Amino acid sequence: MLKVKGLSFSYGDFSVENVCFEVKEGEILTLLGPNGSGKTTILKNVYGLLKPKKKCVFIDGRDFHSLSLKERAKLAGYVPQSHYPPFPYTVLDVVVMGLASQLSVFESPKDEHYEKALEKLRLLGMESFKDRPYTQLSGGQLQLVLIARALVQEPKVLLLDEPTAHLDFKNQVKILGIIKKLAREERITAILTLHDPNLASIYSDKIALVKEGRIRAVGESSEILREEILEEVYGVPIHILEFNGFRVIMPKTEVV
């Protein structure tokens, strides 16, 4: 289990305050909210790219941020919103880079490391791209490679910042479907940030609504995604339609 208790962080005139949530093994929690609400800041604090004000992130009861870099890499993997390498590394080399923290300073990757990287590419249906330059991939393929790079560490927790950003509808569904499958089959705890409440409703076990650096509500999507809460978070009138067991969230609009 990953537990965040009282996470607070500030820079400039923006802060996140007293963020609390729990995510069990095999569950997906989505941080959902408008641009600039603090979703990415929260995610970076959880992973340790930013330093919160006090101890607040625990994995299986262990203070995550007090662990060594090597220990943290074995527990959690991070997938950024975008990544642009300065050199045209092959896809396989990019995935192997995920093991850098487990190698000594002058140690080169061995055959076993490349085989592990191939295994993760195979898992995501990307093995045939192993020799292709990373700079020649589409947006959806890039995201899959970044996920493979995180998975090669064999983490218990996977943190993904806007994994569907800049992707078309087909690739959004593909990426989120793979994340959900990994959570179920590999028993990975996943935390991701999204903008779209409909996608969050479909692919999340839990949702945390974020506004102005605070968690406004957290729980199962059926409890959290209600018109009055969404209107307060997004600042627009919301209407929720239900049919055949599905809920569709849309803004109220007037047809002129």
Side-chain angles (χ1 to χ4, degrees), residues 178-190:
I178 286 172
I179 294 169
K180 191 163 188 174
K181 183 178 180 182
L182 289 170
R184 298 293 181 271
E185 296 183 1
E186 305 293 322
R187 305 304 300 165
I188 290 174
T189 298

Side-chain angles (χ1 to χ4, degrees), residues 65-103:
H65 293 154
S66 70
L67 302 176
S68 68
L69 178 61
K70 187 173 183 178
E71 289 177 303
R72 280 184 285 163
K74 289 180 179 179
L75 285 176
Y78 179 76
V79 180
Q81 186 176 139
S82 59
H83 178 252
Y84 302 100
F87 302 105
Y89 299 108
T90 68
V91 164
L92 185 59
D93 284 332
V94 171
V95 177
V96 169
M97 288 176 191
L99 294 168
S101 63
Q102 299 181 27
L103 302 175

Side-chain angles (χ1 to χ4, degrees), residues 32-52:
L32 179 68
N35 291 332
S37 60
K39 302 185 301 297
T40 294
T41 300
I42 292 170
L43 200 71
K44 287 183 175 180
N45 270 272
V46 171
Y47 188 60
L49 293 175
L50 298 175
K51 188 176 180 180

Side-chain angles (χ1 to χ4, degrees), residues 133-250:
Y134 179 67
T135 50
Q136 295 181 12
L137 300 181
S138 69
Q141 292 165 347
L142 285 171
Q143 283 299 96
L144 288 172
V145 173
L146 291 175
I147 292 172
R149 187 180 66 172
L151 289 177
V152 78
Q153 304 166 203
E154 299 182 342
K156 289 188 173 183
V157 177
L158 191 60
L159 308 170
L160 305 103
D161 189 13
E162 285 292 339
T164 61
H166 315 302
L167 299 184
D168 60 34
F169 183 69
K170 177 183 177 180
N171 279 302
Q172 288 179 3
V173 171
K174 180 179 180 179
I175 294 295
L176 292 174
I178 286 172
I179 294 169
K180 191 163 188 174
K181 183 178 180 182
L182 289 170
R184 298 293 181 271
E185 296 183 1
E186 305 293 322
R187 305 304 300 165
I188 290 174
T189 298
I191 303 176
L192 52 147
T193 66
L194 288 176
H195 289 294
D196 189 332
N198 287 299
L199 290 176
S201 175
I202 294 169
Y203 292 99
S204 309
D205 297 298
K206 293 180 179 178
I207 291 173
L209 286 172
V210 185
K211 182 181 180 183
E212 297 175 349
R214 277 71 171 169
I215 300 290
R216 292 299 194 243
V218 61
E220 295 183 4
S221 61
S222 58
E223 302 171 348
I224 300 304
L225 298 182
R226 303 197 309 269
E227 291 176 355
E228 63 273 18
I229 300 178
L230 290 170
E231 288 178 353
E232 192 270 327
V233 169
Y234 284 97
V236 295
I238 297 290
H239 187 52
I240 297 179
L241 303 176
E242 298 191 27
F243 60 96
N244 295 332
F246 290 94
R247 305 167 79 233
V248 178
I249 301 162
M250 56 188 296

Side-chain angles (χ1 to χ4, degrees), residues 16-29:
V16 296
E17 296 291 342
N18 197 32
V19 171
C20 301
F21 56 79
E22 295 182 5
V23 197
K24 297 179 182 177
E25 180 184 275
E27 283 187 339
I28 297 173
L29 177 137

